């Protein structure tokens, strides 16, 4: 009904080369249950790292891997298609070093020592979380469950709230440009929401137009006391529906490559990994969500997950190849 094949890659690393399940045994959570047993064998054998590659749009495998603790480390294009590289730390401080390199966290402690860096200011464990009353909204609120409500607000109101709560919401490290940008902001459509509980701001979501077909989910955050409650998973379909209503065909977002807390719900909601880039925020993964099902098929063709067929193949000038099977 299935198999798994792995091999030693170097003195520290085991490479998970191939795992397969026959069709009748897929979509039953078997891969999720198999992973801990495999990883236990590798750890018992003395490996420090486990690595694997998967088609970039194969969320059915990528999501359980990320949930098991793997993180995104790269992309590779070869004759089989576009693959994501995933790595799991089985021992040591390697995972913290990955977070530092991606920009998700500031270097500190043993990870900083092993990287040979010394931050100007050591991160503090205690954060002062300001209590911000919900300001005036620009429309009706939408219940998100658990006592949370989503409220549309103006761009100015959002920016004032964001300025006061940014440090409380993030541990990430961005490049300091040392000064304001010389040019004025680009004139694009903008959409802002605040998340409220008990009359106070618990988080926010901010999106804007990217181009004539695409919306960009710029920024989503929850204050620490409101995390780990499935709020992001409940928020996503609401924001996607609002952006679709505005006329967008695609929704784009960027996230630190090691930020599994965001990548997992995004991929489960139907976003696909489309690239990696280095910018002022660090190493970020580019995700796309398409409302057009044909476009999703097209992405699977480009990644090599599926063979060209149907409308998706026709739109890129290809003809599906017959397998000769009945």
């Amino acid at each position: 009904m299935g198999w798994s094949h792995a091999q030693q890659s170097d003195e520290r690393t085991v490479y998970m080369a191939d795992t397969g399940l026959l069709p009748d045994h897929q979509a039953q959570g078997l891969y999720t249950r198999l992973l801990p047993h495999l990883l236990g064998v590798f750890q018992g054998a003395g490996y420090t790292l486990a690595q694997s590659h998967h088609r970039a749009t194969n969320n059915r495998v990528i999501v359980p891997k990320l949930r098991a603790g793997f993180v995104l480390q790269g992309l590779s294009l070869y004759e089989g298609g576009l693959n994501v590289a995933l790595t799991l730390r089985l021992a040591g401080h390697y995972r913290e070093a990955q977070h530092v390199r991606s920009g998700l966290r500031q270097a500190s402690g043993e990870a900083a020592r092993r990287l040979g860096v010394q931050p100007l200011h050591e991160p503090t464990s205690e954060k002062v979380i300001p209590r911000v009353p919900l300001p005036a909204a620009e429309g009706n609120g939408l219940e998100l469950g658990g006592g949370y409500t989503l409220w549309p607000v103006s761009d100015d109101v959002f920016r004032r709230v964001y300025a006061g709560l940014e440090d409380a919401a993030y541990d990430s490290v961005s490049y300091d440009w040392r000064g304001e940008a010389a040019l004025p902001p680009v004139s694009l459509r903008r959409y802002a929401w605040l998340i409220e509980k008990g009359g106070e701001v618990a988080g926010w979501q901010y999106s804007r137009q990217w181009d004539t077909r695409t919306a960009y989910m710029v920024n989503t955050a929850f204050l620490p006391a409101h995390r780990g409650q499935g709020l992001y998973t409940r928020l996503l379909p609401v924001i996607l529906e609002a952006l679709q209503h505005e006329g967008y065909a695609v929704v784009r977002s960027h996230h630190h490559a090691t930020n599994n807390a965001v990548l997992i719900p995004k991929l489960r909601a139907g976003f696909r990994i489309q690239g990696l880039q280095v910018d002022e925020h660090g190493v970020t993964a580019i995700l796309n969500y398409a409302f057009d099902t044909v476009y999703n098929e097209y992405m699977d063709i480009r990644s090599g997950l599926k063979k060209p067929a149907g409308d998706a193949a026709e739109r890129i000038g290809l003809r599906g190849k017959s397998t000769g099977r009945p």
Side-chain angles (χ1 to χ4, degrees):
M1 66 182 66
W3 61 85
S4 182
H5 169 66
Q7 61 195 36
Q8 182 178 355
S9 178
D10 58 36
E11 66 276 13
R12 288 190 176 89
T13 310
V14 60
Y15 180 62
M16 299 180 69
D18 184 47
T19 302
L21 298 170
L22 296 179
D24 288 346
H25 305 281
Q26 296 173 7
Q28 300 180 39
L30 187 55
Y31 190 67
T32 298
R33 300 196 299 273
L34 173 66
L35 269 174
H37 297 286
L38 297 177
L39 298 176
V41 171
F42 302 148
Q43 190 169 21
Y47 292 106
T48 306
L49 302 174
Q51 295 182 333
S52 62
H53 290 84
H54 310 278
R55 295 294 188 269
T57 60
N58 192 1
N59 287 358
R60 289 197 302 174
V61 172
I62 295 172
V63 168
K65 276 284 180 70
L66 295 181
R67 292 180 67 182
F70 283 77
V71 295
L72 181 62
Q73 276 210 315
L75 290 168
S76 61
L77 180 65
Y78 75 121
E79 72 275 8
L82 179 66
N83 277 356
V84 294
L86 302 180
T87 296
L88 173 69
R89 172 200 61 84
L90 294 169
H93 297 269
Y94 193 82
R95 186 180 179 89
E96 284 302 311
Q98 289 172 305
H99 289 327
V100 172
R101 290 302 190 202
S102 78
L104 182 62
R105 295 179 190 164
Q106 178 61 278
S108 63
E110 182 64 13
R113 188 188 70 80
R114 295 196 183 195
L115 288 170
V117 300
Q118 184 175 358
L120 292 174
H121 306 288
E122 285 284 341
T124 58
S125 57
E126 295 295 329
K127 278 189 174 185
V128 177
I129 310 296
R131 300 179 65 175
V132 177
L134 180 73
E138 290 204 329
N140 296 325
L142 181 64
E143 297 297 323
L144 295 175
Y148 293 93
T149 306
L150 183 70
W151 296 92
V153 296
S154 69
D155 190 73
D156 289 340
V157 166
F158 166 78
R159 291 183 182 278
R160 287 199 300 271
V161 172
Y162 180 82
L165 292 176
E166 179 184 8
D167 290 341
Y170 295 108
D171 295 317
S172 55
V173 184
S174 297
Y175 180 76
D176 184 356
W177 287 102
R178 299 288 173 86
E180 296 295 326
L183 302 178
V186 178
S187 178
L188 297 168
R189 296 184 181 183
R190 302 176 189 275
Y191 315 91
W193 295 270
L194 294 179
I195 301 159
E196 167 262 335
K197 185 176 184 181
E200 296 182 352
V201 175
W204 58 80
Q205 206 297 308
Y206 185 67
S207 296
R208 66 167 172 82
Q209 181 182 1
W210 180 270
D211 59 31
T212 54
R213 285 192 175 92
T214 310
Y216 175 43
M217 293 182 67
V218 181
N219 189 274
T220 307
F222 307 109
L223 296 179
H226 305 281
R227 298 170 186 168
Q229 303 179 42
L231 187 54
Y232 193 62
T233 298
R234 301 198 300 273
L235 174 68
L236 270 174
V238 176
I239 300 302
L240 290 173
E241 182 178 356
L243 295 175
Q244 185 181 27
H245 181 74
E246 291 293 325
Y248 296 104
V250 177
V251 178
R252 177 187 181 102
S253 64
H254 300 167
H255 309 279
H256 290 99
T258 61
N259 191 0
N260 286 5
V262 172
L263 294 180
I264 290 172
K266 274 284 179 73
L267 296 178
R268 291 180 69 180
F271 281 77
R272 312 288 188 89
I273 297 170
Q274 284 210 320
L276 285 174
Q277 70 178 31
V278 180
D279 56 27
E280 67 268 30
H281 300 300
V283 181
T284 58
I286 302 169
L287 303 186
N288 267 15
Y289 181 98
F291 298 109
D292 184 347
T293 57
V294 178
Y295 190 83
N296 287 325
E297 291 288 325
Y298 157 74
M299 286 195 282
D300 288 339
I301 292 171
R302 284 300 191 205
S303 76
L305 182 64
K306 296 181 179 178
K307 294 180 180 180
D311 289 345
E314 184 179 343
R315 292 195 191 190
I316 55 175
L318 297 176
R319 179 177 297 169
K321 183 178 179 181
S322 173
T323 62
R325 299 172 184 171

